[in-house]
Amino acid sequence: MDKKLKMACIGIDIGGTNLRMALLDNRGAIIHRTKCSTDIHHGREAFFSLLRKGIESLLLVAKDKCYETVGLGVGVPGLVANDGCMLVSVNLPPLDGINLRDELQAMTGLPTVVANDVNAFAFGESVYGAGRDYRSFLMVTLGTGVGGGLILDRTVWTGIDGVAGEFGHVTVEPNGRLCRCGNYGCLEQYASANALVAAAREIMAREKDAFGEALRDKDISTQKLAEAALDGNSAALALFAEAGRYLGIAVASVVNLLNLEAVIIGGGVAASFDLLSESLKREIHARAFPIPAGRLRIERAALGDDGGIIGSGALVMDHLFRGNP
Ligand SMILES: [Zn+2]
């Protein structure tokens, strides 16, 4: 490699809605970024052409700014095998069954790492974010669903098949609500944005003005519910406390199992961290052993919407320079 060129990589975060791409330097700083609609309904070929255009434009920026692009990291929602094959992609069905790593490597000629999006986010927090001071932690994203990523000794624990860390599908109610995964009572059905909104609707069906006269059924969102809670609305406060309690039930088991240093919470609902954290901590302390519960730190993620691109870039850099498979 030409030592005069600075090193860069490309990080890509494929979301169900947005496709974010960025050129990153070797310290994880964003040199240039693009964002567009994923538009997966246009099919696989159109999507790959979108990826190609985005990557080409970033490679041009790199060249222009005297960077050598050494790798490509991709975070994608769903179950991703350790070899980069898309096993199940809930939001991106046209990608099911394809080996995204091989496809992108062939397209770009760049060494490529493909990971589950929350695993990528977790690794980004580990290297550059709220997880820097911890060797081992659980990342939890509270968004439309509940995502998980497990960092053990500064490495993403993907499991033998690549599908570990699905914290949102830990059972918290044995006979609870049916989850989209087929199980009953998954955490995702109690602590995600969708779950909060669904629970709020159930309450409003019984009591129209439960969240204040101004909040109509069609306006319900976690943001509106958080506003109501911050205004002191007791029904809204109880909803967030309940989500925190369920989160605590699941975290307590993980804490007893793994004696982690921290749980890092990200995603849209994490903006309401303060509304959840009290009941979350209370539940952990009520259920887990005092030693692991007492040392556990609960932190908010630091990278926000950039977590996916920064984490994906960090993964490929780690792959190239730490020699991980
Ligand atoms: Zn589930």
Side-chain angles (χ1 to χ4, degrees):
M1 184 182 304
D2 187 341
K3 294 278 188 226
K4 282 178 224 147
L5 286 174
K6 297 169 282 181
M7 224 175 344
C9 66
I10 291 174
I12 299 181
D13 179 17
I14 304 175
T17 310
N18 292 313
L19 174 61
R20 292 184 168 88
M21 304 195 209
L23 185 71
L24 303 147
D25 72 13
N26 62 356
R27 293 190 305 274
I30 294 171
I31 302 161
H32 187 79
R33 66 163 83 221
T34 67
K35 182 182 161 188
C36 62
S37 290
T38 307
D39 281 343
I40 198 70
H41 57 279
H42 292 157
R44 191 188 290 184
E45 283 195 18
F47 177 67
F48 273 100
S49 126
L50 202 62
L51 280 178
R52 182 183 295 112
K53 273 185 211 152
I55 292 166
E56 280 170 359
S57 78
L58 291 174
L59 290 172
L60 279 177
V61 173
K63 207 172 162 196
D64 207 38
K65 292 182 183 285
C66 299
Y67 282 95
E68 179 180 4
T69 307
V70 296
L72 176 65
V74 182
V76 61
L79 302 181
V80 185
N82 285 324
D83 70 355
C85 184
M86 298 295 307
L87 299 173
V88 180
S89 179
V90 182
N91 300 320
L92 309 160
L95 301 185
D96 277 356
I98 67 162
N99 190 309
L100 197 55
R101 183 193 68 182
D102 291 351
E103 296 275 343
L104 289 170
Q105 245 167 211
M107 180 198 288
T108 62
L110 291 170
T112 300
V113 171
V114 175
N116 165 275
D117 56 350
V118 186
N119 284 345
F121 194 173
F123 194 66
E125 290 290 339
S126 170
V127 179
Y128 299 116
R132 273 180 302 185
D133 294 337
Y134 307 118
R135 292 192 64 80
S136 301
F137 65 87
L138 174 70
M139 171 98 207
V140 182
T141 55
L142 302 175
T144 320
V146 173
L150 191 55
I151 301 290
L152 297 180
D153 272 335
R154 298 202 182 279
T155 303
V156 181
W157 179 261
T158 56
I160 186 72
D161 295 310
V163 301
E166 289 295 328
F167 182 67
H169 301 281
V170 167
T171 302
V172 291
E173 280 288 359
N175 301 308
R177 296 178 195 144
L178 176 63
C179 183
R180 62 192 168 101
C181 74
N183 182 32
Y184 287 88
C186 289
L187 174 63
E188 182 164 289
Q189 298 307 312
Y190 298 89
S192 63
N194 283 358
L196 281 164
V197 168
R201 290 223 157 94
E202 276 174 28
I203 291 167
M204 284 177 87
R206 295 195 301 270
E207 191 188 338
K208 192 161 69 74
D209 295 331
F211 302 103
E213 284 177 25
L215 200 56
R216 299 272 73 93
D217 185 64
K218 64 178 169 48
D219 301 327
I220 290 282
S221 65
T222 49
Q223 204 181 342
K224 294 275 184 200
L225 291 169
E227 282 167 18
L230 292 170
D231 278 347
N233 176 279
S234 59
L237 283 165
L239 266 186
F240 283 100
E242 188 72 345
R245 188 175 76 82
Y246 277 111
L247 194 53
I249 292 172
V251 169
S253 295
V254 175
V255 161
N256 274 353
L257 183 70
L258 296 171
N259 189 192
L260 299 170
E261 294 162 83
V263 172
I264 297 177
I265 299 181
V269 183
S272 310
F273 183 79
D274 293 342
L275 296 168
L276 300 165
S277 62
E278 201 179 307
S279 61
L280 164 62
K281 285 176 191 162
R282 196 186 317 124
E283 203 64 27
I284 295 169
H285 283 278
R287 290 177 184 272
F289 284 119
I291 291 174
R295 80 128 53 234
L296 186 80
R297 303 286 298 273
I298 313 276
E299 306 261 8
R300 272 185 73 170
L303 302 179
D305 285 347
D306 291 335
I309 43 178
I310 291 174
S312 304
L315 274 175
V316 74
M317 286 303 212
D318 184 71
H319 167 75
L320 288 170
F321 300 108
R322 193 161 71 166
N324 280 346

